[in-house]
Amino acid sequence: MNTSNRIQRRCDGVSRRDALAIGSLSAFGLSLFSGAGLLANRAAVRRPKNCILVWLDGGPSHLELFDPKPEMPAEVRGPMSSIATALPGIRYGECLPRLAQRLSQMTLVRSLSSPLGEHNLGAHYLLTGYKPSPNINYPVFGSVAQQLRPATNTLPGFVAIPHHAVGGAGLRANGFLPISVAPFELNQSGQDQKLAADQLTLLNGLTSASVQRRAEYLQLLDQFSRSADRIGGLPNYDGLDQAVRLLTSPEARAAFDLEAESSPVRQQYGSSMFGQSCLLARRLVERGVSMVTVNYSGWDTHDNLVVRLKDGYAGAREPVGLIPNLDQGLAALHDDLNERGLLSETLVVVMGEFGRTPKINPQGGRDHWPRAFSVLLAGGGTPQGLVFGESDHAGESVKTDPVSPADLVATIYKLLGFNPQTELITPAGRPIRIGGEGAVVGSLIA
């Protein structure tokens, strides 16, 4: 992926004022920050709950993951088998042995249903609780949480690992909210062992003192810009101050340093990019970051399903499929949070924008299918050992207890301590309910 092109596309519609802020940050020698992640206005408000969203970008197959149909013919069942879980009568796909053992400690929803089978549209609905509209950009629930409960320390309150390019990178996370509540994105190079340790370094021999001097220069430049052009200038100095504090804080840089973890802990998560991203997510919530998105891409399996999901590609640096990596990393995250006493206050959500078709296509894959799919929840006040809802015999439609994306988002807000009826005001003065048109699913709250 060309990161610079992706960021440019995601910045469509950003004002000249925001563009000046983004461009000016390069004067610090920053190697990873997007402007949206840095320009944050933080207030001292306590955050009672954290959330780690494991986003399976591309549309994960519920039939190979959490809702297999072993009794169906091969064209529906698919080429992979299923295994028993810790709950009698509930089966998982064969590549999830660790998560299968832990289902008695988690909540599985098998009755998600959406009318939107296109990546960006589906992602928008799942992450905002609203169907996309040409008239308004709705914010994702991570950005809403930051608007309502800003971070209280040097670290950002919302971090995306490695970036927030979800659903085809067409979703602007902060929506109609200020760019200050967009996620802080790593935009790292893709090297597993260098996931974060070298991302907060001062480049070209810069020192903390020189960064401070450049900040003072930018403020003078901004004052000149304001006098010459009322549209110009940085959106707020609080965000610039936070950027400087983040870059010059040893504690902040240490939070992203995976090398500080012991070798056994890193091995528990696995050497894959996804596993190490989950470990970084744990480090961040442990240090006060309340919202983390781990963006695990590649789930758009229109062909070669077994290779993509199970075997992995021969010659790849990590010749392992998507599901085994998911199984190891997510199980390790669950156990690690639990052992550190963080699971009860951290909601873990595992989902993508839709599921896959009930029949294998001629290319040996499955196509987009939003009518029935699954979401896995853990911690953060969710029940243990609950399987909620049911798809039909082929995984084609919801059979019992349908849950819409709006219902799910409203429930997530409730679990995080927000009233889904809370309203935010758009720049045009329109009140927007954060929970969309959804209703809280009471069964998903312990």
Side-chain angles (χ1 to χ4, degrees):
M1 175 183 294
N2 186 316
T3 303
S4 62
N5 288 341
R6 180 186 62 79
I7 293 174
Q8 181 62 42
R9 289 197 301 272
R10 286 176 54 80
C11 287
D12 288 348
V14 175
S15 68
R16 178 186 178 278
R17 178 172 56 200
D18 291 342
L20 174 61
I22 295 170
S24 298
L25 289 172
S26 64
F28 293 113
L30 287 165
S31 62
L32 80 157
F33 303 131
S34 70
L38 287 170
L39 302 173
N41 182 14
R42 308 301 189 190
V45 179
R46 183 176 178 271
R47 299 176 309 250
K49 287 289 181 69
N50 309 312
C51 180
I52 298 175
L53 168 64
V54 177
W55 180 257
L56 308 182
D57 194 63
S61 173
H62 55 299
L63 295 159
E64 272 67 45
L65 286 168
F66 306 121
D67 195 9
K69 303 295 179 181
E71 305 301 324
M72 293 298 292
E75 62 267 22
V76 174
R77 182 179 70 245
M80 295 165 61
S81 62
S82 65
I83 57 174
T85 71
L87 298 181
I90 303 299
R91 301 185 71 81
Y92 270 5
E94 65 171 277
C95 295
L96 295 172
R98 295 176 178 87
L99 292 180
Q101 295 170 5
R102 290 161 177 79
L103 180 55
S104 59
Q105 305 169 55
M106 299 179 174
T107 291
L108 173 63
V109 182
R110 280 178 161 175
S111 55
L112 259 289
S113 184
S114 168
L116 303 178
E118 188 274 333
H119 293 292
N120 192 60
L121 301 181
H124 189 288
Y125 198 9
L126 263 293
L127 293 174
T128 70
Y130 281 94
K131 297 175 184 177
S133 166
N135 301 317
I136 187 168
N137 288 318
Y138 296 101
V140 302
F141 61 80
S143 289
V144 171
Q146 290 311 292
Q147 179 74 7
L148 297 177
R149 290 197 188 115
T152 59
N153 57 21
T154 301
L155 288 168
F158 183 14
V159 175
I161 307 170
H163 48 64
H164 204 269
V166 302
L171 177 63
R172 183 178 177 183
N174 57 297
F176 64 78
L177 294 176
I179 198 171
S180 59
V181 298
F184 174 95
E185 299 179 281
L186 290 182
N187 293 330
Q188 43 70 45
S189 64
Q191 298 298 316
D192 288 2
Q193 300 305 316
K194 296 293 185 181
L195 179 64
D198 61 350
Q199 296 301 304
L200 293 176
T201 55
L202 296 172
L203 303 183
N204 302 321
L206 289 175
T207 65
S208 295
S210 62
V211 169
Q212 294 287 356
R213 288 195 299 270
R214 292 180 186 210
E216 294 172 1
Y217 167 76
L218 285 176
Q219 290 180 353
L220 292 173
L221 180 63
D222 181 63
Q223 291 174 9
F224 173 80
S225 179
R226 286 176 186 273
S227 65
D229 181 356
R230 291 185 179 181
I231 301 178
L234 294 174
N236 63 72
Y237 285 118
D238 290 339
L240 177 59
D241 290 342
Q242 190 206 28
V244 175
R245 291 195 305 271
L246 183 60
L247 185 60
T248 58
S249 166
E251 293 79 13
R253 293 199 297 274
F256 291 87
D257 185 6
L258 291 179
E259 298 294 339
E261 296 287 339
S262 68
S263 179
V265 170
R266 296 195 69 176
Q267 291 173 6
Q268 178 185 359
Y269 281 86
S271 61
S272 70
M273 174 66 71
F274 173 73
Q276 295 299 291
S277 296
C278 287
L279 175 54
L280 179 56
R282 189 270 290 163
R283 286 182 62 83
L284 292 176
V285 297
E286 192 174 34
R287 288 159 175 78
V289 176
S290 61
M291 303 295 302
V292 180
T293 293
V294 175
N295 186 6
Y296 189 17
S297 61
W299 294 86
D300 195 18
T301 49
H302 291 281
D303 56 22
N304 297 323
L305 180 148
V306 174
V307 173
R308 293 172 182 267
L309 298 184
K310 178 182 177 181
D311 297 337
Y313 288 95
R317 184 163 53 88
E318 290 290 338
V320 179
L322 293 168
I323 302 180
N325 283 331
L326 175 72
D327 186 54
Q328 180 174 7
L330 193 56
L333 175 64
H334 176 273
D335 294 351
D336 206 1
L337 289 170
N338 194 32
E339 291 168 5
R340 293 168 185 269
L342 295 170
L343 188 59
S344 62
E345 62 189 53
T346 304
L347 173 65
V348 180
V349 181
V350 185
M351 64 180 181
E353 58 265 45
F354 40 66
R356 311 302 292 191
T357 50
K359 289 188 178 181
I360 297 291
N361 65 28
Q363 290 73 44
R366 299 185 191 267
D367 301 313
H368 302 183
W369 193 258
R371 280 170 51 184
F373 57 108
S374 302
V375 171
L376 187 65
L377 306 170
T382 57
Q384 294 189 4
L386 172 66
V387 178
F388 183 82
E390 182 183 3
S391 66
D392 64 14
H393 65 289
E396 181 177 7
S397 301
V398 171
K399 183 177 180 180
T400 64
D401 298 313
V403 177
S404 73
D407 296 335
L408 179 64
V409 171
T411 305
I412 289 173
Y413 281 126
K414 185 71 173 180
L415 287 164
L416 295 179
F418 299 106
N419 183 349
Q421 303 287 341
T422 301
E423 291 183 341
L424 297 174
I425 306 301
T426 71
R430 176 182 173 185
I432 298 295
R433 179 175 176 265
I434 65 170
E437 298 179 351
V440 173
V441 183
S443 296
L444 302 184
I445 300 175

